[in-house]
Amino acid sequence: MPQPTVEQFQRVKENFWRIWNYPNCIGALDGTHCVIEKPKNTGSVYFNYKKEISIVLLELVDTDYKFITVDVGAYGRNSDGGIFRSSSLGQALANGTLNIPTPKSLPLLRRNRPSFPLTKNTMRPFPGNALENNRDNKIYNYRHCRARRVVENAKFNLKPENMDTIILATTVLHNFLRNDTCYWQPGELEDTNTPKGLNNLRRVGGNNPREAFIVRKNVKQFFVSNGSVPWQWEKAFTARST
């Protein structure tokens, strides 16, 4: 899979804004547990929180459900956050070698914000205890989870002997077979009463510098002001109450 370029990230960013109404986003990030047969003499290193034997595929996905870049091979028992920090993707993002476009202002605002932000470059929803009686946080989570659905629809389960090679080959084949029609369109997803990831959010550990919280706060303020969309108020609160 080729190294993503600034131009590629720029196209992804434009599409996230055009299709999913999420600004300055260059990809949806998630970790997928790929179920495998337990290798011999490996103890519990592959045993994950779902009580399955797995290796982890870390994927960054664009608006067409294509893999931009992947990292595969981490043990199933490791957390997504730990895998991300030690991955080539996480390290490239941390040291500034990922070819991220120059930071741009949020649409209709003057302040500059990173393109792929909770470090300052990785966004995540507010945890459940921050949603109680907080309308703006609920709106942010709805808009965030709406945009990241693309990464939830680019997954698979395999039981290979040569796990890493097969999974990497499958991600390339997946991209090759994708056409211009998305599996799910924004209008279709709006009919869902409970957006995936909006409810039952749990706090994720990690080091979150003050700058990261400021980035998310500014995006939240954008979602409830100049960047609001007409249906978000009903959808965010309906999903939370069902």
Side-chain angles (χ1 to χ4, degrees):
M1 194 169 295
Q3 176 79 10
T5 64
V6 173
E7 292 75 20
Q8 180 183 1
F9 279 136
Q10 184 65 33
R11 290 193 298 271
V12 173
K13 184 178 75 169
E14 292 169 357
N15 285 336
F16 263 103
W17 175 239
R18 177 176 58 86
I19 298 173
W20 295 105
N21 314 115
Y22 199 104
N24 293 357
C25 178
I26 60 169
L29 180 69
D30 201 8
T32 300
H33 285 271
C34 302
V35 178
I36 62 171
E37 297 289 347
K38 185 179 182 299
K40 294 181 179 180
N41 303 318
T42 56
S44 62
V45 294
Y46 290 99
F47 191 71
N48 66 35
Y49 71 99
K50 297 180 180 180
K51 299 182 179 180
E52 298 171 333
I53 305 300
S54 68
I55 59 174
V56 179
L57 168 67
L58 184 72
E59 67 257 12
L60 188 67
V61 175
D62 68 15
T63 54
D64 292 323
Y65 306 92
K66 293 181 179 179
F67 297 100
I68 300 171
T69 185
V70 298
D71 190 282
V72 65
Y75 296 139
R77 74 174 183 181
N78 295 340
S79 68
D80 284 352
I83 292 169
F84 175 68
R85 286 190 295 272
S86 62
S87 70
S88 56
L89 172 60
Q91 292 176 7
L93 189 62
N95 62 29
T97 60
L98 191 59
N99 293 327
I100 291 179
T102 302
K104 299 292 184 182
S105 298
L106 292 171
L108 309 178
L109 296 181
R110 294 180 180 179
R111 294 186 294 268
N112 284 345
R113 296 298 163 213
S115 293
F116 175 52
L118 210 33
T119 67
K120 72 174 183 179
N121 285 322
T122 49
M123 269 298 126
R124 69 185 188 211
F126 287 95
N129 59 7
L131 299 179
E132 195 69 31
N133 300 319
N134 192 314
R135 185 190 69 164
D136 293 356
N137 287 4
K138 291 178 182 179
I139 290 297
Y140 174 84
N141 277 12
Y142 164 69
R143 296 284 294 274
H144 176 105
C145 295
R146 180 175 181 268
R148 76 177 297 276
R149 279 188 177 122
V150 291
V151 76
E152 299 292 344
N153 290 289
K155 298 183 177 181
F156 50 85
N157 283 332
L158 296 173
K159 293 184 177 181
E161 290 184 7
N162 301 311
M163 302 92 71
D164 294 5
T165 302
I166 290 177
I167 292 171
L168 287 172
T170 303
T171 62
V172 175
L173 180 62
H174 169 93
N175 283 359
F176 178 76
L177 294 175
R178 287 291 300 124
N179 55 34
D180 293 333
T181 302
C182 295
Y183 297 118
W184 294 97
Q185 297 298 323
E188 295 171 334
L189 288 172
E190 296 309 327
D191 295 332
T192 304
N193 288 328
T194 307
K196 183 176 178 64
L198 184 57
N199 291 331
N200 301 319
L201 291 170
R202 65 181 186 273
R203 186 174 185 85
V204 180
N207 296 320
N208 296 302
R210 182 171 179 272
E211 184 178 6
F213 288 98
I214 294 173
V215 170
R216 184 171 63 182
K217 179 181 178 181
N218 287 328
V219 176
K220 177 185 71 175
Q221 290 174 339
F222 173 73
F223 284 158
V224 297
S225 57
N226 293 336
S228 66
V229 293
W231 63 84
Q232 68 183 30
W233 310 99
E234 176 185 358
K235 293 296 181 181
F237 290 95
T238 299
R240 182 62 182 168
S241 60
T242 55

